[in-house]
Amino acid sequence: MKDIYTLGIESSCDETSVAIVKNGREILSNVIDTQIPIHEKYGGVVPEIASRNHIEAISRVTKKALEEAKMTLEQIDAVTPTYGPGLVGALLVGLSYAKALSFAINKSLVGVNHIQGHIATNYITYKELEPPFLCVMMSGGNTQIIHVKGYTEFEVLGKTRDDAIGEAFDKVARVVGLGYPGGPKVDKLAQEGKPTIDLPKTHFENMDFSFSGIKTAVINLHHKNPEINKADLCASFEKTVTEILIENVKKVIELTGIKTIALAGGVSANSYIRKAFMDLKQEGMEIYMPDLKLCTDNAAMIASAGYYNYIQGKRDTLDLNAIPNLKL
Ligand code: KG4
């Protein structure tokens, strides 16, 4: 069978990334131009600044991705950009570039849902992994338990009703003075603390999540007592959100009978969460977690998901638009 090469383009938030992936599983290049140092001083991503920096970076990053893969544009089978969810102005840069590129080289344009991309990180990390499985998707914009029925077939079984888990990490970090992006900083400080502080958990009948209550509780505790041990607070926060995640995952396993679980999204880089999920192996579950380098936004995951869309026959036209709140 002929090899298929997809060129993924990711610009949904603060990373400009272009990657070339072979047959959906093998990374030939994955160039990531992060804007974190630019947004750090504002304490979060400023959408207009993100768009402007994507424009400045996109051609350079694409050229570098081709060079690193030692490929020419003629060898690409499909251009596969993220078209949502994300910041609309940021998405439009990568998407418009992808449209122009696919038109210029006369190759297929295949749009990719960013969440589908995060799920696909597991296909790159584990060459043997195939659907069906459950995916615990944890990022800055989403928290969902997804039944991955096929490479392009998904059912969301549980989701956050308010904040995404990454948002809660970032807010906690900001309040205790750790800065942006908060998740990795909370992760690091928590390792010096003990989970001794009781924090609230919200329960629902179904498999939905809520993270705004625990986030507010941490903020209130810190405001009432600025001398509180920050490491203990971070450790307690991590322990409680992990319990919330695992309680819901267990409910979903009971409902579906599926015991294969893959993690995805930026927060799946968290060391406490990774260890807690690894421990589930002792309860007979099969656990997959993406390579740390692939947890946060990158175009290799978009090129991988793009490959599966492409081989299923999905094709887009030049009127494909950016959809900031695109669902799976
Ligand atoms: O998946 P991602 O790169 O972007 C979205 O698509 O949203 O996720 C970014 C989120 C941020 O909230 C960041 O703080 C969080 O992932 N994050 C972490 C860690 N590394 C990144 N959260 C907890 N622990 C980490 N080690």
Side-chain angles (χ1 to χ4, degrees):
M1 228 170 64
K2 180 191 171 300
D3 289 326
I4 305 286
Y5 297 93
T6 46
L7 185 144
I9 298 184
E10 160 61 30
S11 71
S12 65
C13 190
D14 58 349
E15 260 93 31
T16 319
S17 181
V18 178
I20 296 166
V21 167
K22 182 178 165 185
N23 298 329
R25 302 251 177 179
E26 190 186 332
I27 299 179
L28 301 186
S29 63
N30 186 22
V31 181
I32 305 168
D33 194 280
T34 182
Q35 301 179 13
I36 287 176
I38 297 167
H39 298 283
E40 215 164 17
K41 52 180 170 293
Y42 305 104
V45 179
V46 183
E48 289 78 6
I49 296 178
S51 309
R52 202 172 309 167
N53 280 281
H54 285 307
I55 294 171
E56 188 274 320
I58 190 85
S59 293
R60 168 169 42 82
V61 172
T62 306
K63 197 161 168 254
K64 202 164 166 213
L66 285 160
E67 275 167 16
E68 284 187 13
K70 298 189 176 55
M71 291 193 72
T72 62
L73 283 169
E74 288 68 40
Q75 292 170 288
I76 301 296
D77 293 282
V79 181
T80 70
T82 305
Y83 71 107
L87 302 169
V88 70
L91 286 166
L92 277 170
V93 178
L95 178 59
S96 307
Y97 189 86
K99 286 188 202 175
L101 188 63
S102 68
F103 184 72
I105 62 175
N106 197 21
K107 297 289 166 76
S108 303
L109 174 74
V110 181
V112 175
N113 181 313
H114 183 79
I115 301 168
Q116 190 196 346
H118 274 298
I119 297 170
T121 52
N122 287 287
Y123 300 135
I124 300 171
T125 308
Y126 301 96
K127 307 294 179 222
E128 74 286 4
L129 178 66
E130 285 177 10
F133 57 88
L134 299 174
C135 182
V136 188
M137 167 69 208
M138 306 173 273
S139 74
N142 288 280
T143 313
Q144 298 177 339
I145 304 182
I146 301 159
H147 181 184
V148 182
K149 297 178 168 177
Y151 287 105
T152 58
E153 200 191 336
F154 310 97
E155 185 183 356
V156 177
L157 298 175
K159 61 181 182 320
T160 182
R161 293 197 182 179
D162 39 56
D163 294 342
I165 187 169
E167 241 176 303
F169 266 97
D170 291 338
K171 192 66 199 263
V172 166
R174 195 187 307 181
V175 167
V176 302
L178 297 176
Y180 166 86
K185 292 179 179 165
V186 170
D187 191 348
K188 194 153 175 262
L189 186 60
Q191 289 170 33
E192 295 165 24
K194 290 199 176 62
T196 49
I197 303 163
D198 263 346
L199 293 169
K201 288 189 218 166
T202 309
H203 294 281
F204 296 110
E205 284 288 305
N206 66 5
M207 291 148 294
D208 281 351
F209 298 100
S210 164
F211 294 104
S212 76
I214 180 172
K215 177 193 77 180
T216 310
V218 171
I219 295 170
N220 288 344
L221 278 170
H222 186 260
H223 281 166
K224 274 191 213 136
N225 176 13
E227 301 306 313
I228 197 164
N229 184 310
K230 289 178 184 168
D232 288 351
L233 194 55
C234 289
S236 307
F237 170 75
E238 268 190 1
K239 177 173 175 276
T240 313
V241 293
T242 306
E243 285 169 2
I244 295 172
L245 287 169
I246 288 182
E247 279 164 22
N248 274 11
V249 167
K250 286 189 171 170
K251 277 197 214 169
V252 175
I253 291 171
E254 212 166 290
L255 181 84
T256 60
I258 299 174
K259 289 186 159 188
T260 307
I261 299 153
L263 306 188
V267 180
S268 61
N270 183 271
S271 48
Y272 187 93
I273 294 177
R274 288 176 89 90
K275 186 178 173 309
F277 272 90
M278 269 305 173
D279 289 346
L280 290 179
K281 280 187 168 179
Q282 285 151 18
E283 296 179 34
M285 293 168 208
E286 227 177 291
I287 307 292
Y288 294 89
M289 33 191 85
D291 190 326
L292 273 180
K293 292 193 295 291
L294 297 174
C295 287
T296 43
D297 290 349
N298 66 86
M301 67 185 201
I302 303 301
S304 170
Y307 165 83
Y308 289 105
N309 287 349
Y310 177 79
I311 60 168
Q312 300 278 333
K314 181 177 190 283
R315 300 289 183 272
D316 286 299
T317 55
L318 294 181
D319 53 15
L320 179 67
N321 208 352
I323 307 180
N325 57 356
L326 182 67
K327 304 276 182 288
L328 255 190

